[in-house]
Amino acid sequence: MSLLEVDGVSVEYAGGRVRAVDGVSLDVRPGQIVGLVGESGCGKSSLARVAAGLSAPAAGTVSYRGEPLRALGWRRRERTGVQMVFQNPYSSLNPRRTVLSQLLDGVPAGLPDRRGHALKQLSRVGLPEAAARRYPHQFSGGQLQRVAIARALAAGPEVIIADEPVTALDVSSQAQVVEVLAELVRELSVGMLFISHDLALVHRLADVTAVMYLGRIVESGPTNELWEAPKHPYTRALIDAIPALEPDAGLPRALPGEVADPGQPPAGCRFRPRCPHAFDRCGTEPALEGERHRVACFL
Amino acid sequence: MLLDVKHLRVSLPGPVPILTDVSLDAGRGEIVGIAGESGSGKSMTARALLGLLPRGAEVTGTVRFDGRVLDRRSTIEQRGHGIAMVFQDPVAALHPMLTIGRQLTEHMRLHLRMSKKDARRRALGLLEQVRLPDPERALRGYPHQFSGGQLQRIAIASALAAEPKLLIADEPTTALDVTVQAGILRLLDRLRTEMDLAVLFITHDLGVLASLAARTCVFYAGRVVETGRTADVLRDPHHPYTEALLAARDASSGRSMPGRPVSAADAPAGCPFAPRCADRRDECDTTVPERRSIHSGHESACLVRTAEGVR
C-alpha cells in the first residue's frame, strides 16, 4: 500500500497563466526512497510543496494513507505525518532559538517524556545530546541539516519530503547527510520523496526514480534500470552531462537549447525543441506508458 | 610558465592566517584545476592573484606572472588584461538595470579607449565567441531576459574583453544545471585552444576537473596538499584527503569522511587533516608535512603515505 499518493497533480501560478506542474502522479511506499530529478524550473519544488500539504494543487489530489491531504498552511501542519526537509538549514531553522526548543515544536503534545523524545531524535541523526542546548550558528552546514532532519523526525512522520537537502553542503558533509537519510529509511521504514537536480546522487540513494521536465514526468522506474537503460532522450542527456571521475571519459555532453518558458510550453512533446531524435509524431504529446519502467516518448 | 606562485601566504591582522602555503603554476593554454571544500582557501587564492584581498591583509611569497614578479601595484595593473575572473553567480556579476551592450562596452571604452562603434563591434565578436545565440539582440537585452547559462557566457565574454592571458573561473558552473554546466566546460576548453588562454578552474567537484584540467591542485586548510596531472591525482591519489574526497563522490564506496573541513585559521598544529584522517600517526599532530614528490610532477603533503608506500 502506498503511504503518499500524488494523483494527477497540477500547480498553477499567476492566476493560471503558468502551469509549473502539469498532471503529475507518483506514490511513496513505506521504507522506499523515491527520487525526483529535474533541472531548475521543472516544477519539482512546486510539487514538493503540494505533496507536503504546504499548498493546494490546482488540479488532482494528494492522499496520505488513503485520506486526502488538506493543505494546512504553516502553523497547523506540524501534526501531520508528512514532514519536510529543505535545502538551506540556515533559513529553515530559527537562529534565535535553541535546537531543543525547535525540536520540541514538532513533538506531539500528548507525549509523556517530550524532552527525552526530542533528544532521541538527535542521537538518531548522529549528534550528541549536548547539541540540544546550542544555537544554529554553532553548527556547520552539515550538522545543521542533521538538526533539521531531527526536527522533522520529532513529529514521528511516516513520510519525509526532502527538497535538495544536500545541495548547499560541502562534499564531505553531503555524504554524511545522505548516509543519515538512507539509514533512517531503513531503520524507521519511513517513505521518502527525495528531490534533487543531481542524478548521480539520486542514483546512489533512491529505489525508484522519476525524471521531470517542464512540469511533467517524462520517465520513471526502478533506479538501476533507468540509469542503465534510460529510454527518454532527456534522461539520457542528463546522464551524459554528468562529469565522470574517469580522466579519459572526455568532456560531458551538453544539451543544446534552453528550457522553454513554463507559461508557453511547446505544443506536443515538451522536450521536442531540444531533442536530437524529434520527428513528426512528436507534435502530439506522448503519454507516460509502461508497467514498472514508464516513459513518455514515441521512440 | 605563465603563472608561478611560490609559498603564497596571506593573513589578516590578528594575525589570522587565510592561506598558509600555496604553490602552484599554470602554463599558457593550460587548464589547472583547484579543488577543495569551503574554507580551503581556493577563492582566497583567486582574490590574492587579482589584488582583491581585504584591507590590511599581509602577503608573503612570490607570484610570477608573464615573466615578472607581481607586487601589490602590478597585480592591480594586470587585472583585466593580464588576469581576468568569472564568478559563481552570473546574476550577481551583472548589473540588473543596464543593457548587456552597455556592460560589455563600458570597460572597453574606458580602459582600452575604444570608440563606441569599435567597442560594440568587439562586444558582438565576443558574444559570438562564447556562442550566445543572436548576439545583436542580446546587446539590447537586460540580464533578467537570459537564463543562468547564457548569463555565465556573457560574463565570460566580458572577462575576455581585454584579451587576458589567464582566466580565473571560481566555481563558474556550480549555480548551473548539469546539462548547462557541460556547455560551459566545453566553452572554456575551446577558448583555451582558440586563444591560448590559461584557466585556473576552481571547484568543489573533482569530477568536473577529470576531463577538463590537465593538472589539479587539491586544497585543504589554506594549503595545497596534493598536486599533479589530473589523471594521476584521480587514479592514484596519495593524500588521504584526496582519497576521502573521491570516495565521498563515488556511489559504490558508501564511505563518508568524519568531521568537517577546517579553514587555515582553525587548523591544528601539525598536519591540518590529521583529526579526520584514517592513517593518522602521533607525528602528524606535531609536524607539518611538506609537499614531497611521488613521481614526476605528482606531489603530496603527507608524512605517512609517501612515494615509498605507507610508512
Side-chain angles (χ1 to χ4, degrees):
Chain A
M1 193 202 86
S2 59
L3 271 175
L4 185 75
E5 203 172 346
V6 173
D7 188 21
V9 158
S10 297
V11 179
E12 291 178 345
Y13 294 109
R17 281 199 300 278
V18 177
R19 192 161 250 224
V21 177
D22 190 13
V24 165
S25 303
L26 49 84
D27 61 333
V28 183
R29 292 155 196 269
Q32 186 188 46
I33 304 182
V34 176
L36 182 64
V37 193
E39 297 185 276
S40 45
C42 75
K44 56 192 192 300
S45 291
S46 299
L47 183 67
R49 291 181 59 85
V50 169
L54 290 178
S55 54
T61 53
V62 178
S63 12
Y64 168 60
R65 296 189 147 271
E67 299 279 315
L69 188 75
R70 257 190 297 272
L72 291 172
W74 273 113
R75 284 187 188 282
R76 284 191 298 145
R77 62 171 299 287
E78 305 287 355
R79 274 156 257 163
T80 71
V82 183
Q83 287 292 321
M84 196 155 171
V85 176
F86 297 91
Q87 175 170 346
N88 186 351
Y90 292 96
S91 60
S92 69
L93 292 164
N94 187 331
R96 299 184 52 169
R97 294 172 61 201
T98 63
V99 164
L100 179 65
S101 90
Q102 300 193 58
L103 287 175
L104 284 173
D105 283 350
V107 182
L111 225 64
D113 180 18
R114 296 184 75 230
R115 191 168 179 278
H117 179 81
L119 293 178
K120 200 169 130 203
Q121 311 311 322
L122 279 180
S123 65
R124 274 216 174 110
V125 297
L127 290 173
E129 280 197 3
R133 289 191 302 275
R134 290 193 229 142
Y135 290 88
H137 74 268
Q138 293 170 295
F139 295 90
S140 70
Q143 290 171 324
L144 211 52
Q145 192 60 294
R146 284 190 271 164
V147 171
I149 294 168
R151 186 181 61 167
L153 290 176
E158 289 179 296
V159 180
I160 295 176
I161 296 174
D163 188 4
E164 301 268 11
V166 302
T167 308
L169 308 178
D170 268 319
V171 184
S172 55
S173 317
Q174 277 195 1
Q176 290 167 8
V177 170
V178 164
E179 257 172 41
V180 165
L181 289 174
E183 229 173 81
L184 290 175
V185 170
R186 261 198 311 272
E187 273 175 25
L188 306 174
S189 226
V190 295
M192 183 178 302
L193 181 59
F194 184 88
I195 297 167
S196 177
H197 69 285
D198 186 347
L199 189 54
L201 188 63
V202 168
H203 174 219
R204 170 171 171 183
L205 197 63
D207 305 304
V208 176
T209 299
V211 180
M212 223 171 150
Y213 186 78
L214 212 55
R216 298 220 161 173
I217 288 178
V218 295
E219 183 166 5
S220 70
T223 303
N224 282 332
E225 263 181 52
L226 188 123
W227 183 269
E228 267 145 37
K231 290 182 175 165
H232 199 284
Y234 179 63
T235 314
R236 181 168 293 282
L238 273 183
I239 293 174
D240 284 346
I242 299 171
L245 267 182
E246 179 51 47
D248 292 334
L251 285 170
R253 241 173 294 167
L255 187 61
E258 297 284 332
V259 180
D261 178 1
Q264 298 156 316
C269 171
R270 294 175 173 208
F271 187 58
R272 184 178 54 151
R274 303 175 76 189
C275 183
H277 310 290
F279 59 114
D280 296 348
R281 231 184 130 187
C282 303
T284 52
E285 178 137 22
L288 189 64
E289 281 170 342
E291 274 300 307
R292 262 163 25 112
H293 188 167
R294 305 181 348 136
V295 62
C297 182
F298 293 118
L299 279 180
Chain B
M1 277 296 159
L2 176 69
L3 175 76
D4 193 3
V5 179
K6 285 245 175 346
H7 302 295
L8 181 67
R9 185 186 165 88
V10 177
S11 51
L12 292 178
V16 185
I18 307 178
L19 295 178
T20 321
D21 184 5
V22 172
S23 298
L24 55 86
D25 54 72
R28 283 173 206 279
E30 185 184 33
I31 299 185
V32 175
I34 292 183
E37 296 182 275
S38 51
S40 64
K42 49 196 201 305
S43 294
M44 217 27 104
T45 303
R47 296 180 69 157
L49 295 178
L50 285 161
L52 294 174
L53 289 170
R55 189 181 291 247
E58 212 166 282
V59 184
T60 61
T62 56
V63 177
R64 285 184 78 86
F65 179 73
D66 207 10
R68 61 179 187 150
V69 177
L70 297 188
D71 56 23
R72 198 160 190 129
R73 174 188 269 175
S74 50
T75 299
I76 293 168
E77 282 168 10
Q78 286 290 345
R79 206 189 284 160
H81 61 269
I83 306 176
M85 183 152 175
V86 282
F87 298 88
Q88 175 171 342
D89 184 3
V91 181
L94 294 163
H95 194 294
M97 295 177 71
L98 301 178
T99 61
I100 300 301
R102 168 124 185 241
Q103 299 191 56
L104 280 180
T105 54
E106 197 168 48
H107 58 304
M108 288 189 231
R109 298 192 59 199
L110 211 64
H111 297 289
L112 307 178
R113 312 217 172 262
M114 284 183 169
S115 70
K116 202 166 182 174
K117 210 171 130 196
D118 286 348
R120 195 185 138 77
R121 196 180 309 132
R122 173 111 183 90
L124 275 178
L126 287 167
L127 291 182
E128 272 161 24
Q129 196 165 22
V130 299
R131 304 270 156 94
L132 193 77
D134 202 353
E136 285 275 358
R137 213 175 118 203
L139 283 183
R140 293 191 300 271
Y142 290 88
H144 75 269
Q145 294 167 312
F146 298 88
S147 69
Q150 290 171 336
L151 287 178
Q152 196 57 288
R153 283 174 193 264
I154 292 168
I156 292 172
S158 175
L160 297 178
E163 294 179 342
K165 297 186 176 81
L166 171 70
L167 181 70
I168 301 177
D170 191 359
E171 304 258 11
T173 60
T174 306
L176 305 177
D177 280 320
V178 63
T179 57
V180 180
Q181 159 171 289
I184 298 288
L185 299 182
R186 287 179 167 260
L187 170 66
L188 288 173
D189 195 49
R190 194 164 52 75
L191 293 173
R192 176 186 70 81
T193 47
E194 279 177 11
M195 303 176 58
D196 207 20
L197 183 72
V199 181
L200 280 188
F201 193 102
I202 300 175
T203 179
H204 64 282
D205 183 0
L206 280 168
V208 170
L209 300 177
S211 41
L212 181 73
R215 290 183 296 129
T216 289
C217 305
V218 179
F219 273 56
Y220 190 79
R223 295 169 181 277
V224 177
V225 294
E226 182 161 6
T227 177
R229 287 188 22 222
T230 305
D232 292 341
V233 172
L234 296 185
R235 288 203 185 115
D236 186 22
H238 267 67
H239 200 283
Y241 176 63
T242 313
E243 200 173 45
L245 260 190
L246 287 168
R249 199 186 180 281
D250 180 11
S252 54
S253 88
R255 274 185 303 152
S256 67
M257 201 180 332
R260 60 200 257 200
V262 294
S263 64
D266 306 323
C271 172
F273 187 61
R276 306 175 73 190
C277 184
D279 296 327
R280 188 183 70 84
R281 309 284 156 83
D282 286 345
E283 54 187 326
C284 300
D285 291 336
T286 49
T287 315
V288 178
E290 293 285 321
R291 240 161 72 181
R292 274 185 288 201
S293 177
I294 306 292
H295 58 82
S296 64
H298 189 177
E299 295 177 3
S300 167
C302 179
L303 296 169
V304 179
R305 301 183 45 178
T306 60
E308 293 82 44
V310 178
R311 284 171 55 211

